[in-house]
Amino acid sequence: MNVGEQFAIELGRVSRQWRKRLDERLKHTGLTQARWMVLLHLSRTGPMSQRELAETVGIEGPTLVRMLDSLEGQGLLERRACEDDRRVKRVYLTEAARPVLAEITSIATALRKELLAEMADGELRAAWKVLKDIGDRLENL
């Protein structure tokens, strides 16, 4: 197996394990990984249309609608008609989402610090650069 294959396999393993560990630590919130990812994206980008959110999170529209129904039922977000086009629904976080997001962020930060504690800044910068370049290439395909 060449180094490119080894890298791809390891990248997948790390990604799955990181998400698994974070899901374990967030289990008590009652949110699945897909649901807390929606909340995090909205907290970072601000309100967006359902279509934009589906593309950003990387899930199909019907799947997102069910997820949004659940999150709206929990009082964590709301959907409003867009002023420019009433057919388009924009998704907004509610104030009730703020403490949930603060907890998610705190737990995610603690895990990241734990996992990266022994890594030198230079190593992390080099790894980040490689991953960013790969991500940019994927987005441009």
Side-chain angles (χ1 to χ4, degrees), residues 83-122:
E83 292 178 14
D84 299 338
D85 185 347
R86 307 290 285 165
R87 297 169 296 175
V88 175
K89 298 287 185 191
R90 291 188 58 80
V91 184
Y92 295 79
L93 289 175
T94 64
E95 282 304 311
R98 302 289 174 213
V100 174
L101 282 161
E103 184 172 11
I104 291 168
T105 300
S106 174
I107 291 168
T109 298
L111 177 61
R112 184 178 62 249
K113 286 180 178 178
E114 179 182 329
L115 294 174
L116 303 178
E118 304 298 317
M119 306 289 171
D121 285 348

PDB file of all heavy atoms in Angstrom, residues 83-122:
ATOM      1  N   GLU A  83     -38.065  37.237   2.855  1.00  0.00           N
ATOM      2  CA  GLU A  83     -38.769  38.439   2.424  1.00  0.00           C
ATOM      3  C   GLU A  83     -38.771  38.588   0.907  1.00  0.00           C
ATOM      4  O   GLU A  83     -39.746  39.064   0.331  1.00  0.00           O
ATOM      5  CB  GLU A  83     -38.147  39.671   3.073  1.00  0.00           C
ATOM      6  CG  GLU A  83     -38.367  39.734   4.567  1.00  0.00           C
ATOM      7  CD  GLU A  83     -37.717  40.938   5.210  1.00  0.00           C
ATOM      8  OE1 GLU A  83     -37.323  41.877   4.479  1.00  0.00           O
ATOM      9  OE2 GLU A  83     -37.606  40.942   6.446  1.00  0.00           O
ATOM     10  N   ASP A  84     -37.683  38.187   0.247  1.00  0.00           N
ATOM     11  CA  ASP A  84     -37.572  38.328  -1.203  1.00  0.00           C
ATOM     12  C   ASP A  84     -38.379  37.279  -1.968  1.00  0.00           C
ATOM     13  O   ASP A  84     -38.845  37.536  -3.071  1.00  0.00           O
ATOM     14  CB  ASP A  84     -36.109  38.233  -1.652  1.00  0.00           C
ATOM     15  CG  ASP A  84     -35.256  39.328  -1.048  1.00  0.00           C
ATOM     16  OD1 ASP A  84     -35.806  40.369  -0.646  1.00  0.00           O
ATOM     17  OD2 ASP A  84     -34.032  39.139  -0.984  1.00  0.00           O
ATOM     18  N   ASP A  85     -38.489  36.100  -1.392  1.00  0.00           N
ATOM     19  CA  ASP A  85     -39.177  34.990  -2.053  1.00  0.00           C
ATOM     20  C   ASP A  85     -39.879  34.168  -0.987  1.00  0.00           C
ATOM     21  O   ASP A  85     -39.250  33.374  -0.287  1.00  0.00           O
ATOM     22  CB  ASP A  85     -38.162  34.143  -2.833  1.00  0.00           C
ATOM     23  CG  ASP A  85     -38.806  33.039  -3.649  1.00  0.00           C
ATOM     24  OD1 ASP A  85     -40.003  32.741  -3.447  1.00  0.00           O
ATOM     25  OD2 ASP A  85     -38.100  32.459  -4.493  1.00  0.00           O
ATOM     26  N   ARG A  86     -41.165  34.333  -0.859  1.00  0.00           N
ATOM     27  CA  ARG A  86     -41.927  33.692   0.220  1.00  0.00           C
ATOM     28  C   ARG A  86     -41.892  32.156   0.137  1.00  0.00           C
ATOM     29  O   ARG A  86     -42.217  31.489   1.098  1.00  0.00           O
ATOM     30  CB  ARG A  86     -43.386  34.165   0.192  1.00  0.00           C
ATOM     31  CG  ARG A  86     -43.579  35.679   0.194  1.00  0.00           C
ATOM     32  CD  ARG A  86     -43.236  36.373   1.455  1.00  0.00           C
ATOM     33  NE  ARG A  86     -44.206  36.200   2.496  1.00  0.00           N
ATOM     34  CZ  ARG A  86     -43.966  36.482   3.774  1.00  0.00           C
ATOM     35  NH1 ARG A  86     -42.788  36.927   4.121  1.00  0.00           N
ATOM     36  NH2 ARG A  86     -44.874  36.301   4.685  1.00  0.00           N
ATOM     37  N   ARG A  87     -41.491  31.608  -1.019  1.00  0.00           N
ATOM     38  CA  ARG A  87     -41.391  30.148  -1.148  1.00  0.00           C
ATOM     39  C   ARG A  87     -40.158  29.609  -0.432  1.00  0.00           C
ATOM     40  O   ARG A  87     -40.090  28.436  -0.090  1.00  0.00           O
ATOM     41  CB  ARG A  87     -41.325  29.733  -2.622  1.00  0.00           C
ATOM     42  CG  ARG A  87     -42.569  30.096  -3.418  1.00  0.00           C
ATOM     43  CD  ARG A  87     -42.313  29.902  -4.880  1.00  0.00           C
ATOM     44  NE  ARG A  87     -41.259  30.846  -5.285  1.00  0.00           N
ATOM     45  CZ  ARG A  87     -40.708  30.894  -6.484  1.00  0.00           C
ATOM     46  NH1 ARG A  87     -41.070  30.053  -7.410  1.00  0.00           N
ATOM     47  NH2 ARG A  87     -39.772  31.769  -6.772  1.00  0.00           N
ATOM     48  N   VAL A  88     -39.165  30.474  -0.230  1.00  0.00           N
ATOM     49  CA  VAL A  88     -37.902  30.074   0.392  1.00  0.00           C
ATOM     50  C   VAL A  88     -38.005  30.251   1.900  1.00  0.00           C
ATOM     51  O   VAL A  88     -38.422  31.297   2.385  1.00  0.00           O
ATOM     52  CB  VAL A  88     -36.724  30.910  -0.168  1.00  0.00           C
ATOM     53  CG1 VAL A  88     -35.433  30.592   0.570  1.00  0.00           C
ATOM     54  CG2 VAL A  88     -36.582  30.687  -1.664  1.00  0.00           C
ATOM     55  N   LYS A  89     -37.628  29.214   2.624  1.00  0.00           N
ATOM     56  CA  LYS A  89     -37.613  29.279   4.090  1.00  0.00           C
ATOM     57  C   LYS A  89     -36.190  29.503   4.573  1.00  0.00           C
ATOM     58  O   LYS A  89     -35.270  28.801   4.161  1.00  0.00           O
ATOM     59  CB  LYS A  89     -38.136  27.980   4.707  1.00  0.00           C
ATOM     60  CG  LYS A  89     -39.568  27.665   4.360  1.00  0.00           C
ATOM     61  CD  LYS A  89     -40.503  28.570   5.081  1.00  0.00           C
ATOM     62  CE  LYS A  89     -41.937  28.135   4.805  1.00  0.00           C
ATOM     63  NZ  LYS A  89     -42.882  29.100   5.255  1.00  0.00           N
ATOM     64  N   ARG A  90     -36.025  30.495   5.432  1.00  0.00           N
ATOM     65  CA  ARG A  90     -34.718  30.744   6.058  1.00  0.00           C
ATOM     66  C   ARG A  90     -34.759  30.168   7.465  1.00  0.00           C
ATOM     67  O   ARG A  90     -35.782  30.212   8.137  1.00  0.00           O
ATOM     68  CB  ARG A  90     -34.405  32.235   6.069  1.00  0.00           C
ATOM     69  CG  ARG A  90     -34.156  32.748   4.648  1.00  0.00           C
ATOM     70  CD  ARG A  90     -33.658  34.147   4.561  1.00  0.00           C
ATOM     71  NE  ARG A  90     -32.425  34.455   5.242  1.00  0.00           N
ATOM     72  CZ  ARG A  90     -31.198  34.188   4.785  1.00  0.00           C
ATOM     73  NH1 ARG A  90     -31.036  33.579   3.644  1.00  0.00           N
ATOM     74  NH2 ARG A  90     -30.133  34.544   5.466  1.00  0.00           N
ATOM     75  N   VAL A  91     -33.626  29.642   7.902  1.00  0.00           N
ATOM     76  CA  VAL A  91     -33.533  28.973   9.201  1.00  0.00           C
ATOM     77  C   VAL A  91     -32.756  29.873  10.155  1.00  0.00           C
ATOM     78  O   VAL A  91     -31.665  30.348   9.832  1.00  0.00           O
ATOM     79  CB  VAL A  91     -32.840  27.601   9.060  1.00  0.00           C
ATOM     80  CG1 VAL A  91     -32.822  26.871  10.390  1.00  0.00           C
ATOM     81  CG2 VAL A  91     -33.532  26.762   7.984  1.00  0.00           C
ATOM     82  N   TYR A  92     -33.334  30.095  11.332  1.00  0.00           N
ATOM     83  CA  TYR A  92     -32.749  30.962  12.353  1.00  0.00           C
ATOM     84  C   TYR A  92     -32.619  30.189  13.655  1.00  0.00           C
ATOM     85  O   TYR A  92     -33.504  29.410  14.011  1.00  0.00           O
ATOM     86  CB  TYR A  92     -33.655  32.167  12.625  1.00  0.00           C
ATOM     87  CG  TYR A  92     -33.832  33.107  11.475  1.00  0.00           C
ATOM     88  CD1 TYR A  92     -34.703  32.813  10.431  1.00  0.00           C
ATOM     89  CD2 TYR A  92     -33.138  34.306  11.437  1.00  0.00           C
ATOM     90  CE1 TYR A  92     -34.870  33.687   9.371  1.00  0.00           C
ATOM     91  CE2 TYR A  92     -33.297  35.193  10.378  1.00  0.00           C
ATOM     92  CZ  TYR A  92     -34.170  34.869   9.348  1.00  0.00           C
ATOM     93  OH  TYR A  92     -34.320  35.734   8.305  1.00  0.00           O
ATOM     94  N   LEU A  93     -31.528  30.428  14.374  1.00  0.00           N
ATOM     95  CA  LEU A  93     -31.401  29.888  15.724  1.00  0.00           C
ATOM     96  C   LEU A  93     -32.283  30.699  16.666  1.00  0.00           C
ATOM     97  O   LEU A  93     -32.487  31.897  16.457  1.00  0.00           O
ATOM     98  CB  LEU A  93     -29.952  29.982  16.208  1.00  0.00           C
ATOM     99  CG  LEU A  93     -28.950  29.056  15.556  1.00  0.00           C
ATOM    100  CD1 LEU A  93     -27.553  29.361  16.063  1.00  0.00           C
ATOM    101  CD2 LEU A  93     -29.297  27.605  15.815  1.00  0.00           C
ATOM    102  N   THR A  94     -32.758  30.051  17.714  1.00  0.00           N
ATOM    103  CA  THR A  94     -33.507  30.762  18.753  1.00  0.00           C
ATOM    104  C   THR A  94     -32.587  31.017  19.945  1.00  0.00           C
ATOM    105  O   THR A  94     -31.481  30.459  20.020  1.00  0.00           O
ATOM    106  CB  THR A  94     -34.711  29.931  19.228  1.00  0.00           C
ATOM    107  OG1 THR A  94     -34.214  28.729  19.837  1.00  0.00           O
ATOM    108  CG2 THR A  94     -35.658  29.596  18.077  1.00  0.00           C
ATOM    109  N   GLU A  95     -33.037  31.813  20.855  1.00  0.00           N
ATOM    110  CA  GLU A  95     -32.255  32.063  22.073  1.00  0.00           C
ATOM    111  C   GLU A  95     -32.054  30.781  22.875  1.00  0.00           C
ATOM    112  O   GLU A  95     -31.036  30.616  23.530  1.00  0.00           O
ATOM    113  CB  GLU A  95     -32.925  33.138  22.936  1.00  0.00           C
ATOM    114  CG  GLU A  95     -32.698  34.544  22.439  1.00  0.00           C
ATOM    115  CD  GLU A  95     -31.220  34.886  22.308  1.00  0.00           C
ATOM    116  OE1 GLU A  95     -30.442  34.648  23.248  1.00  0.00           O
ATOM    117  OE2 GLU A  95     -30.834  35.387  21.231  1.00  0.00           O
ATOM    118  N   ALA A  96     -33.010  29.871  22.795  1.00  0.00           N
ATOM    119  CA  ALA A  96     -32.898  28.597  23.523  1.00  0.00           C
ATOM    120  C   ALA A  96     -31.722  27.768  23.024  1.00  0.00           C
ATOM    121  O   ALA A  96     -31.221  26.898  23.747  1.00  0.00           O
ATOM    122  CB  ALA A  96     -34.193  27.800  23.386  1.00  0.00           C
ATOM    123  N   ALA A  97     -31.260  28.027  21.807  1.00  0.00           N
ATOM    124  CA  ALA A  97     -30.129  27.268  21.255  1.00  0.00           C
ATOM    125  C   ALA A  97     -28.801  27.727  21.841  1.00  0.00           C
ATOM    126  O   ALA A  97     -27.820  26.969  21.820  1.00  0.00           O
ATOM    127  CB  ALA A  97     -30.097  27.404  19.736  1.00  0.00           C
ATOM    128  N   ARG A  98     -28.735  28.948  22.342  1.00  0.00           N
ATOM    129  CA  ARG A  98     -27.456  29.508  22.818  1.00  0.00           C
ATOM    130  C   ARG A  98     -26.792  28.657  23.904  1.00  0.00           C
ATOM    131  O   ARG A  98     -25.617  28.328  23.783  1.00  0.00           O
ATOM    132  CB  ARG A  98     -27.635  30.951  23.294  1.00  0.00           C
ATOM    133  CG  ARG A  98     -28.188  31.884  22.239  1.00  0.00           C
ATOM    134  CD  ARG A  98     -27.195  32.176  21.148  1.00  0.00           C
ATOM    135  NE  ARG A  98     -27.851  32.957  20.100  1.00  0.00           N
ATOM    136  CZ  ARG A  98     -27.575  32.886  18.824  1.00  0.00           C
ATOM    137  NH1 ARG A  98     -26.605  32.108  18.406  1.00  0.00           N
ATOM    138  NH2 ARG A  98     -28.228  33.586  17.940  1.00  0.00           N
ATOM    139  N   PRO A  99     -27.503  28.292  24.984  1.00  0.00           N
ATOM    140  CA  PRO A  99     -26.833  27.467  26.002  1.00  0.00           C
ATOM    141  C   PRO A  99     -26.458  26.073  25.491  1.00  0.00           C
ATOM    142  O   PRO A  99     -25.433  25.518  25.887  1.00  0.00           O
ATOM    143  CB  PRO A  99     -27.840  27.376  27.155  1.00  0.00           C
ATOM    144  CG  PRO A  99     -29.114  27.924  26.648  1.00  0.00           C
ATOM    145  CD  PRO A  99     -28.839  28.705  25.414  1.00  0.00           C
ATOM    146  N   VAL A 100     -27.250  25.521  24.597  1.00  0.00           N
ATOM    147  CA  VAL A 100     -26.931  24.217  24.010  1.00  0.00           C
ATOM    148  C   VAL A 100     -25.650  24.329  23.185  1.00  0.00           C
ATOM    149  O   VAL A 100     -24.751  23.500  23.284  1.00  0.00           O
ATOM    150  CB  VAL A 100     -28.107  23.711  23.141  1.00  0.00           C
ATOM    151  CG1 VAL A 100     -27.727  22.428  22.407  1.00  0.00           C
ATOM    152  CG2 VAL A 100     -29.350  23.497  23.991  1.00  0.00           C
ATOM    153  N   LEU A 101     -25.554  25.392  22.385  1.00  0.00           N
ATOM    154  CA  LEU A 101     -24.355  25.617  21.587  1.00  0.00           C
ATOM    155  C   LEU A 101     -23.131  25.860  22.460  1.00  0.00           C
ATOM    156  O   LEU A 101     -22.039  25.391  22.142  1.00  0.00           O
ATOM    157  CB  LEU A 101     -24.559  26.796  20.635  1.00  0.00           C
ATOM    158  CG  LEU A 101     -25.386  26.460  19.403  1.00  0.00           C
ATOM    159  CD1 LEU A 101     -25.927  27.721  18.760  1.00  0.00           C
ATOM    160  CD2 LEU A 101     -24.560  25.652  18.425  1.00  0.00           C
ATOM    161  N   ALA A 102     -23.315  26.576  23.551  1.00  0.00           N
ATOM    162  CA  ALA A 102     -22.193  26.822  24.467  1.00  0.00           C
ATOM    163  C   ALA A 102     -21.680  25.499  25.037  1.00  0.00           C
ATOM    164  O   ALA A 102     -20.467  25.285  25.138  1.00  0.00           O
ATOM    165  CB  ALA A 102     -22.621  27.765  25.583  1.00  0.00           C
ATOM    166  N   GLU A 103     -22.593  24.604  25.374  1.00  0.00           N
ATOM    167  CA  GLU A 103     -22.184  23.304  25.905  1.00  0.00           C
ATOM    168  C   GLU A 103     -21.499  22.460  24.835  1.00  0.00           C
ATOM    169  O   GLU A 103     -20.460  21.840  25.091  1.00  0.00           O
ATOM    170  CB  GLU A 103     -23.393  22.553  26.473  1.00  0.00           C
ATOM    171  CG  GLU A 103     -23.006  21.245  27.119  1.00  0.00           C
ATOM    172  CD  GLU A 103     -24.150  20.575  27.848  1.00  0.00           C
ATOM    173  OE1 GLU A 103     -25.308  20.992  27.708  1.00  0.00           O
ATOM    174  OE2 GLU A 103     -23.846  19.605  28.567  1.00  0.00           O
ATOM    175  N   ILE A 104     -22.045  22.443  23.637  1.00  0.00           N
ATOM    176  CA  ILE A 104     -21.437  21.700  22.528  1.00  0.00           C
ATOM    177  C   ILE A 104     -20.019  22.214  22.279  1.00  0.00           C
ATOM    178  O   ILE A 104     -19.072  21.440  22.147  1.00  0.00           O
ATOM    179  CB  ILE A 104     -22.289  21.820  21.241  1.00  0.00           C
ATOM    180  CG1 ILE A 104     -23.599  21.058  21.400  1.00  0.00           C
ATOM    181  CG2 ILE A 104     -21.512  21.320  20.021  1.00  0.00           C
ATOM    182  CD1 ILE A 104     -24.623  21.359  20.306  1.00  0.00           C
ATOM    183  N   THR A 105     -19.881  23.528  22.234  1.00  0.00           N
ATOM    184  CA  THR A 105     -18.578  24.143  21.975  1.00  0.00           C
ATOM    185  C   THR A 105     -17.583  23.804  23.078  1.00  0.00           C
ATOM    186  O   THR A 105     -16.425  23.479  22.811  1.00  0.00           O
ATOM    187  CB  THR A 105     -18.736  25.673  21.825  1.00  0.00           C
ATOM    188  OG1 THR A 105     -19.629  25.923  20.733  1.00  0.00           O
ATOM    189  CG2 THR A 105     -17.412  26.337  21.552  1.00  0.00           C
ATOM    190  N   SER A 106     -18.027  23.866  24.306  1.00  0.00           N
ATOM    191  CA  SER A 106     -17.153  23.557  25.439  1.00  0.00           C
ATOM    192  C   SER A 106     -16.670  22.110  25.392  1.00  0.00           C
ATOM    193  O   SER A 106     -15.478  21.834  25.574  1.00  0.00           O
ATOM    194  CB  SER A 106     -17.908  23.823  26.743  1.00  0.00           C
ATOM    195  OG  SER A 106     -17.153  23.420  27.845  1.00  0.00           O
ATOM    196  N   ILE A 107     -17.568  21.195  25.133  1.00  0.00           N
ATOM    197  CA  ILE A 107     -17.213  19.780  25.079  1.00  0.00           C
ATOM    198  C   ILE A 107     -16.298  19.498  23.891  1.00  0.00           C
ATOM    199  O   ILE A 107     -15.302  18.772  24.013  1.00  0.00           O
ATOM    200  CB  ILE A 107     -18.491  18.909  25.042  1.00  0.00           C
ATOM    201  CG1 ILE A 107     -19.213  19.003  26.395  1.00  0.00           C
ATOM    202  CG2 ILE A 107     -18.169  17.463  24.686  1.00  0.00           C
ATOM    203  CD1 ILE A 107     -20.611  18.433  26.412  1.00  0.00           C
ATOM    204  N   ALA A 108     -16.607  20.089  22.729  1.00  0.00           N
ATOM    205  CA  ALA A 108     -15.783  19.892  21.535  1.00  0.00           C
ATOM    206  C   ALA A 108     -14.383  20.469  21.741  1.00  0.00           C
ATOM    207  O   ALA A 108     -13.387  19.865  21.324  1.00  0.00           O
ATOM    208  CB  ALA A 108     -16.452  20.528  20.316  1.00  0.00           C
ATOM    209  N   THR A 109     -14.301  21.609  22.397  1.00  0.00           N
ATOM    210  CA  THR A 109     -13.009  22.233  22.669  1.00  0.00           C
ATOM    211  C   THR A 109     -12.172  21.360  23.600  1.00  0.00           C
ATOM    212  O   THR A 109     -10.977  21.163  23.377  1.00  0.00           O
ATOM    213  CB  THR A 109     -13.199  23.640  23.266  1.00  0.00           C
ATOM    214  OG1 THR A 109     -13.893  24.445  22.306  1.00  0.00           O
ATOM    215  CG2 THR A 109     -11.880  24.282  23.628  1.00  0.00           C
ATOM    216  N   ALA A 110     -12.805  20.824  24.633  1.00  0.00           N
ATOM    217  CA  ALA A 110     -12.088  19.960  25.579  1.00  0.00           C
ATOM    218  C   ALA A 110     -11.549  18.712  24.880  1.00  0.00           C
ATOM    219  O   ALA A 110     -10.402  18.315  25.110  1.00  0.00           O
ATOM    220  CB  ALA A 110     -13.006  19.573  26.740  1.00  0.00           C
ATOM    221  N   LEU A 111     -12.364  18.108  24.023  1.00  0.00           N
ATOM    222  CA  LEU A 111     -11.907  16.928  23.299  1.00  0.00           C
ATOM    223  C   LEU A 111     -10.752  17.279  22.365  1.00  0.00           C
ATOM    224  O   LEU A 111      -9.745  16.569  22.311  1.00  0.00           O
ATOM    225  CB  LEU A 111     -13.060  16.301  22.499  1.00  0.00           C
ATOM    226  CG  LEU A 111     -12.683  15.084  21.642  1.00  0.00           C
ATOM    227  CD1 LEU A 111     -12.137  13.942  22.499  1.00  0.00           C
ATOM    228  CD2 LEU A 111     -13.878  14.632  20.812  1.00  0.00           C
ATOM    229  N   ARG A 112     -10.880  18.372  21.634  1.00  0.00           N
ATOM    230  CA  ARG A 112      -9.810  18.780  20.713  1.00  0.00           C
ATOM    231  C   ARG A 112      -8.515  19.013  21.474  1.00  0.00           C
ATOM    232  O   ARG A 112      -7.453  18.539  21.056  1.00  0.00           O
ATOM    233  CB  ARG A 112     -10.226  20.046  19.949  1.00  0.00           C
ATOM    234  CG  ARG A 112      -9.199  20.474  18.906  1.00  0.00           C
ATOM    235  CD  ARG A 112      -9.634  21.697  18.118  1.00  0.00           C
ATOM    236  NE  ARG A 112      -9.800  22.860  18.964  1.00  0.00           N
ATOM    237  CZ  ARG A 112     -10.961  23.446  19.263  1.00  0.00           C
ATOM    238  NH1 ARG A 112     -12.092  22.966  18.779  1.00  0.00           N
ATOM    239  NH2 ARG A 112     -11.007  24.501  20.036  1.00  0.00           N
ATOM    240  N   LYS A 113      -8.585  19.696  22.599  1.00  0.00           N
ATOM    241  CA  LYS A 113      -7.374  19.940  23.396  1.00  0.00           C
ATOM    242  C   LYS A 113      -6.771  18.637  23.888  1.00  0.00           C
ATOM    243  O   LYS A 113      -5.547  18.467  23.883  1.00  0.00           O
ATOM    244  CB  LYS A 113      -7.683  20.870  24.568  1.00  0.00           C
ATOM    245  CG  LYS A 113      -7.889  22.300  24.147  1.00  0.00           C
ATOM    246  CD  LYS A 113      -8.200  23.190  25.340  1.00  0.00           C
ATOM    247  CE  LYS A 113      -8.360  24.643  24.909  1.00  0.00           C
ATOM    248  NZ  LYS A 113      -8.699  25.518  26.040  1.00  0.00           N
ATOM    249  N   GLU A 114      -7.607  17.714  24.301  1.00  0.00           N
ATOM    250  CA  GLU A 114      -7.141  16.408  24.774  1.00  0.00           C
ATOM    251  C   GLU A 114      -6.434  15.647  23.647  1.00  0.00           C
ATOM    252  O   GLU A 114      -5.355  15.087  23.846  1.00  0.00           O
ATOM    253  CB  GLU A 114      -8.345  15.616  25.283  1.00  0.00           C
ATOM    254  CG  GLU A 114      -8.041  14.239  25.796  1.00  0.00           C
ATOM    255  CD  GLU A 114      -9.314  13.517  26.233  1.00  0.00           C
ATOM    256  OE1 GLU A 114     -10.275  14.176  26.700  1.00  0.00           O
ATOM    257  OE2 GLU A 114      -9.341  12.285  26.082  1.00  0.00           O
ATOM    258  N   LEU A 115      -7.019  15.631  22.466  1.00  0.00           N
ATOM    259  CA  LEU A 115      -6.467  14.877  21.353  1.00  0.00           C
ATOM    260  C   LEU A 115      -5.200  15.497  20.782  1.00  0.00           C
ATOM    261  O   LEU A 115      -4.317  14.789  20.299  1.00  0.00           O
ATOM    262  CB  LEU A 115      -7.513  14.735  20.235  1.00  0.00           C
ATOM    263  CG  LEU A 115      -8.741  13.900  20.601  1.00  0.00           C
ATOM    264  CD1 LEU A 115      -9.763  13.963  19.472  1.00  0.00           C
ATOM    265  CD2 LEU A 115      -8.359  12.471  20.915  1.00  0.00           C
ATOM    266  N   LEU A 116      -5.098  16.822  20.833  1.00  0.00           N
ATOM    267  CA  LEU A 116      -3.966  17.513  20.220  1.00  0.00           C
ATOM    268  C   LEU A 116      -2.902  17.953  21.225  1.00  0.00           C
ATOM    269  O   LEU A 116      -1.923  18.598  20.843  1.00  0.00           O
ATOM    270  CB  LEU A 116      -4.465  18.729  19.430  1.00  0.00           C
ATOM    271  CG  LEU A 116      -5.495  18.436  18.334  1.00  0.00           C
ATOM    272  CD1 LEU A 116      -5.932  19.720  17.658  1.00  0.00           C
ATOM    273  CD2 LEU A 116      -4.963  17.439  17.323  1.00  0.00           C
ATOM    274  N   ALA A 117      -3.059  17.564  22.473  1.00  0.00           N
ATOM    275  CA  ALA A 117      -2.188  18.047  23.554  1.00  0.00           C
ATOM    276  C   ALA A 117      -0.706  17.803  23.303  1.00  0.00           C
ATOM    277  O   ALA A 117       0.125  18.636  23.632  1.00  0.00           O
ATOM    278  CB  ALA A 117      -2.603  17.417  24.883  1.00  0.00           C
ATOM    279  N   GLU A 118      -0.360  16.705  22.726  1.00  0.00           N
ATOM    280  CA  GLU A 118       1.049  16.349  22.538  1.00  0.00           C
ATOM    281  C   GLU A 118       1.604  16.787  21.183  1.00  0.00           C
ATOM    282  O   GLU A 118       2.757  16.502  20.871  1.00  0.00           O
ATOM    283  CB  GLU A 118       1.223  14.836  22.697  1.00  0.00           C
ATOM    284  CG  GLU A 118       0.720  14.283  24.028  1.00  0.00           C
ATOM    285  CD  GLU A 118       1.464  14.856  25.228  1.00  0.00           C
ATOM    286  OE1 GLU A 118       2.710  14.967  25.161  1.00  0.00           O
ATOM    287  OE2 GLU A 118       0.799  15.176  26.227  1.00  0.00           O
ATOM    288  N   MET A 119       0.804  17.451  20.398  1.00  0.00           N
ATOM    289  CA  MET A 119       1.222  17.844  19.053  1.00  0.00           C
ATOM    290  C   MET A 119       1.897  19.216  19.065  1.00  0.00           C
ATOM    291  O   MET A 119       1.402  20.144  19.683  1.00  0.00           O
ATOM    292  CB  MET A 119       0.020  17.917  18.104  1.00  0.00           C
ATOM    293  CG  MET A 119      -0.805  16.671  18.048  1.00  0.00           C
ATOM    294  SD  MET A 119       0.086  15.383  17.187  1.00  0.00           S
ATOM    295  CE  MET A 119      -0.974  14.007  17.492  1.00  0.00           C
ATOM    296  N   ALA A 120       3.005  19.318  18.349  1.00  0.00           N
ATOM    297  CA  ALA A 120       3.699  20.602  18.222  1.00  0.00           C
ATOM    298  C   ALA A 120       2.936  21.486  17.227  1.00  0.00           C
ATOM    299  O   ALA A 120       2.320  20.988  16.283  1.00  0.00           O
ATOM    300  CB  ALA A 120       5.127  20.373  17.725  1.00  0.00           C
ATOM    301  N   ASP A 121       2.980  22.793  17.465  1.00  0.00           N
ATOM    302  CA  ASP A 121       2.289  23.737  16.582  1.00  0.00           C
ATOM    303  C   ASP A 121       2.707  23.567  15.125  1.00  0.00           C
ATOM    304  O   ASP A 121       1.866  23.626  14.225  1.00  0.00           O
ATOM    305  CB  ASP A 121       2.532  25.188  17.029  1.00  0.00           C
ATOM    306  CG  ASP A 121       1.730  25.559  18.262  1.00  0.00           C
ATOM    307  OD1 ASP A 121       0.816  24.790  18.647  1.00  0.00           O
ATOM    308  OD2 ASP A 121       2.008  26.628  18.833  1.00  0.00           O
ATOM    309  N   GLY A 122       3.984  23.366  14.871  1.00  0.00           N
ATOM    310  CA  GLY A 122       4.464  23.193  13.500  1.00  0.00           C
ATOM    311  C   GLY A 122       3.859  21.966  12.828  1.00  0.00           C
ATOM    312  O   GLY A 122       3.524  22.009  11.643  1.00  0.00           O
TER     313      GLY A 122
END
